[in-house]
Each structure stands twice: as C-alpha cells, then as structure tokens.
C-alpha cells in the first residue's frame, strides 16, 4: 500500500513538473517570444518597401502640385519609422542568446553618401537597423520645393534628400536580405524549440509509462496478500448481475455443468443414469436425423414376404 501511494505521488509530481515547464517556460517564454519576433521581423520588409512607394508618390504629388497628399504621405512614412524604431528596440531586448552574436558581430554591407560620393561600410545588424529607421524619418522631411527638383546629385542636395537616395539605394540591395537573414534565424530557433519539446514529451511519456508499469507490477504482486480478504460471493454475484443477459446464461450453463459433473463423481448410480440418458439422447438425435435426411429407417431391415408359388 505504501509503495503504491509513493508511486502515485511520484507520478503526479513528475506530470505536474513537466506541465509547468512546458506551459510556463517553453510555451509562454520561448515559443510565444519566437513567434512574436518572426511576426515583427516580417513587418520590417513590409514597412520598408511601403516607405519607398510613399517617397515615389511624394515626388509625383509634388510635380502635380498636390501638397495635401504630400503631407499625408510624409506622416505615413514617419509613422512607419516610429514603428520600426520601437520594434527594433523591442526585438533587441528579447533576442535569444544564440542570436546575440548576429546582432553585434555579423557585418552587413551598406552604401552611404559621404562627402558627395557613395561609399561602402560594414555595420552590425543592431547599428544598421537604427541607422535605417533614422534615415527613413529624415527622408520624410524633404521640403516640397526640393522634391520638385528632379536632381539627386549628392553634392548639391540636402541631407534629407540624400537620406531619401540612401533609402532607394539600400532597401532592396542590402536591407531586405538582412531582414530575411534574421527571419531565417528566428525560424531555426522555432524548429529547434519544436524538436526539444517533442523530445521532452517523449521522455515524459516514457517515464510515465515506466512508473505506471511499476505500479501495476506492485499491485499484482501484492494481490496474493489481500485476495483472501475480498468478498468473493458478493463480488461474483454483482458481476453476474451487471453483465448482459446472454453472457449470464453462458455463465449459468457453465457452472451448472460443472456442478453436475462434480455430483456425478460422488454418486456412481447417478453417473450411470446420466450416461444412459446421454446415450438415449444421442440415439434419438440419430433417429431424427434419419427421418429428415433419408438416413436410417428401422423397417429397411425387414425381409420382403415370400412369393406365393403353385400348390
């Protein structure tokens, strides 16, 4: 009894601990964070490409003199910049330890306007993201009179318009591949997490199966110690009442035949009478079979009457 209780307690503790680890730590802290990072990183590409279309629409609206549309487009680009800045900072706070080197040490190539020329620089993903969103907001502040000028000569345009040129030069070349790279790393984290969770569930199932098997073996091994204390007549009667009627008839016939055989073993006269009755029933069965199947007929053995000859 003590071993059974001890095994049940261990089984409950193991199941509770596994559930708490899976639910509170693995699911909420790790799985949801990785999914949130994947979702937010996908928005980086969407906002970046949308900002390029808004810059283009600003140039067209300025050419047609629609200054109200220019204001609306500038506000949308600023809104995208603020969202990307906040999301980039939030992702940096929630990065897994495996992605720390990617944020700080992995170099990414960029084309920047310096001293009237385009120059290449390598920056970390953390720095590149901050610089990208700041240049996006700066490009939305180009005055309308400068937007009307189609010239993009680096030496003769303002810093705001240079940042707009920076957005056109770097978004498809370098920024979108960088966003795709970090997105693939997040997906690898999710895949590795899924493998770890499957392994944990399998191990938990194996341990629970072992504990249940030990409990079953303990109960069956101890059955002989308390089997004599069970109320057999009451349990057997209840069992016969609970089973279907046809099953009860089978049980009744079986036990009745067993009881008859036991009585016959003690009474030889009754045994002979039972044997004669069995033989008689068998003979009657053969006769009935002959009537229906064209078999044995008692009058078949009677010889025919002799033929009458001349006197």
């Amino acid at each position: 009894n003590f071993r059974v209780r001890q095994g049940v307690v261990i089984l409950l503790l193991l199941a509770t601990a596994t559930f708490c680890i899976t639910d509170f730590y693995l699911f909420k802290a790790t799985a949801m964070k990785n999914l949130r990072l994947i979702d937010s990183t996908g928005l980086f590409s969407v906002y970046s490409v949308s900002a390029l279309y808004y810059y283009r629409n600003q140039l067209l609206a300025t050419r047609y003199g629609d200054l109200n549309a220019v204001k609306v487009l500038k506000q949308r680009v600023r809104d995208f910049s603020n969202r990307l800045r906040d999301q980039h900072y939030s992702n940096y706070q929630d990065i897994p330890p495996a992605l720390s080197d990617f944020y700080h040490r992995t170099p990414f190539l960029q084309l920047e306007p310096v001293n009237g020329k385009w120059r290449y620089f390598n920056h970390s993903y953390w720095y590149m993201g901050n610089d990208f969103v700041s240049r996006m907001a700066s490009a939305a502040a180009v005055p309308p009179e400068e937007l009307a000028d189609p010239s993009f000569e680096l030496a003769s345009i303002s810093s705001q318009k240079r940042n707009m040129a920076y957005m056109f030069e770097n978004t498809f070349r370098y920024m979108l591949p960088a966003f795709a790279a970090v997105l693939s790393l997040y997906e690898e984290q999710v895949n590795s997490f899924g493998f770890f969770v499957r392994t944990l569930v399998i191990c938990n199932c194996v341990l629970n199966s072992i504990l249940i098997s030990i409990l079953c073996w303990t109960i069956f091994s101890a059955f002989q110690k308390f089997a004599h204390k069970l109320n057999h007549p009451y349990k057997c009667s209840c069992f016969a009442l609970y089973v279907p009627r046809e099953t009860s008839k089978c049980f009744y016939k079986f036990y009745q035949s067993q009881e008859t055989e036991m009585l016959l073993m003690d009474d030889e006269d009754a045994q002979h009478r039972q044997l004669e009755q069995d033989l008689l029933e068998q003979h009657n069965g053969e006769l009935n079979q002959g009537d229906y199947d064209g078999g044995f007929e008692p009058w078949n053995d009677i010889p025919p009457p002799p033929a009458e000859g001349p006197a």
Side-chain angles (χ1 to χ4, degrees), residues 55 58 139 142 147 152 160-168:
Y55 293 144
Q58 288 180 39
V142 180
L147 288 175
F152 273 88
Q160 292 85 355
K161 199 169 184 178
R162 283 199 297 268
N163 289 329
M164 182 180 289
Y166 166 88
M167 294 294 298
F168 285 117

Side-chain angles (χ1 to χ4, degrees), residues 9-73:
V9 171
I10 295 175
L11 184 63
L12 291 176
L13 291 177
L14 179 62
T16 304
T18 306
F19 173 78
C20 293
I21 293 174
T22 304
D23 183 64
F24 293 103
Y25 174 71
L26 295 178
F27 180 73
K28 292 183 178 178
T30 304
M32 296 303 296
K33 183 175 69 176
N34 288 333
L35 293 176
R36 185 174 63 253
L37 290 173
I38 290 175
D39 183 63
S40 61
T41 305
L43 293 177
F44 274 61
S45 301
V46 176
Y47 288 161
S48 301
V49 175
S50 298
L52 296 182
Y53 279 101
Y54 288 155
Y55 293 144
R56 168 186 173 274
N57 292 338
Q58 288 180 39
L59 297 173
L60 294 176
T62 304
R63 186 173 183 84
Y64 289 105
D66 192 355
L67 298 181
N68 292 328
V70 173
K71 292 180 180 179
V72 173
L73 295 171

Side-chain angles (χ1 to χ4, degrees), residues 87-311:
Q87 191 61 55
H88 186 60
Y89 180 72
S90 177
N91 291 353
Y92 179 75
Q93 290 182 323
D94 295 337
I95 57 173
L99 271 67
S100 179
D101 290 341
F102 178 85
Y103 266 76
H104 295 96
R105 297 181 177 87
T106 303
F108 287 94
L109 190 64
Q110 270 190 312
L111 192 62
E112 299 180 6
V114 178
N115 296 328
K117 295 181 180 179
W118 291 103
R119 298 183 183 275
Y120 288 97
F121 294 92
N122 287 319
H123 298 297
S124 64
Y125 182 78
W126 167 243
Y127 175 85
M128 183 185 65
N130 291 326
D131 184 63
F132 181 75
V133 295
S134 63
R135 291 179 183 272
M136 180 186 294
S138 176
V142 180
E145 57 272 11
E146 193 172 8
L147 288 175
D149 186 5
S151 176
F152 273 88
E153 293 291 336
L154 297 180
S156 60
I157 59 178
S158 64
S159 59
Q160 292 85 355
K161 199 169 184 178
R162 283 199 297 268
N163 289 329
M164 182 180 289
Y166 166 88
M167 294 294 298
F168 285 117
E169 291 289 339
N170 288 274
T171 299
F172 285 99
R173 288 184 180 179
Y174 306 115
M175 297 307 301
L176 294 185
F179 296 151
V182 71
L183 184 62
S184 64
L185 291 178
Y186 288 145
E187 291 176 351
E188 290 178 3
Q189 291 289 316
V190 172
N191 293 332
S192 61
F193 168 75
F195 174 77
F196 175 74
V197 171
R198 287 193 296 270
T199 305
L200 178 64
V201 171
I202 292 173
C203 294
N204 184 36
C205 292
V206 171
L207 291 177
N208 289 336
S209 301
I210 293 174
L211 287 175
I212 293 173
S213 301
I214 294 174
L215 287 176
C216 294
W217 178 81
T218 304
I219 294 173
F220 281 111
S221 62
F223 184 76
Q224 59 183 356
K225 297 180 181 180
F226 60 84
H228 61 281
K229 299 180 181 179
L230 298 177
N231 192 354
H232 294 85
Y234 175 75
K235 298 296 182 182
C236 294
S237 301
C238 292
F239 177 76
L241 294 175
Y242 293 153
V243 297
R245 188 174 182 83
E246 296 297 329
T247 308
S248 300
K249 290 181 179 180
C250 295
F251 287 155
Y252 175 76
K253 291 180 180 179
F254 173 77
Y255 284 108
Q256 187 180 25
S257 62
Q258 294 296 320
E259 184 178 3
T260 303
E261 291 180 1
M262 293 179 66
L263 292 175
L264 292 177
M265 292 174 62
D266 297 334
D267 191 351
E268 294 182 358
D269 295 336
Q271 187 175 5
H272 286 296
R273 288 194 298 271
Q274 182 67 28
L275 181 60
E276 292 176 358
Q277 184 177 358
D278 293 341
L279 292 175
L280 181 60
E281 292 178 355
Q282 183 179 2
H283 182 67
N284 292 334
E286 292 177 354
L287 291 178
N288 294 333
Q289 183 179 6
D291 291 340
Y292 290 104
D293 298 339
F296 173 78
E297 293 181 357
W299 55 82
N300 288 342
D301 294 339
I302 300 177
E308 296 181 359

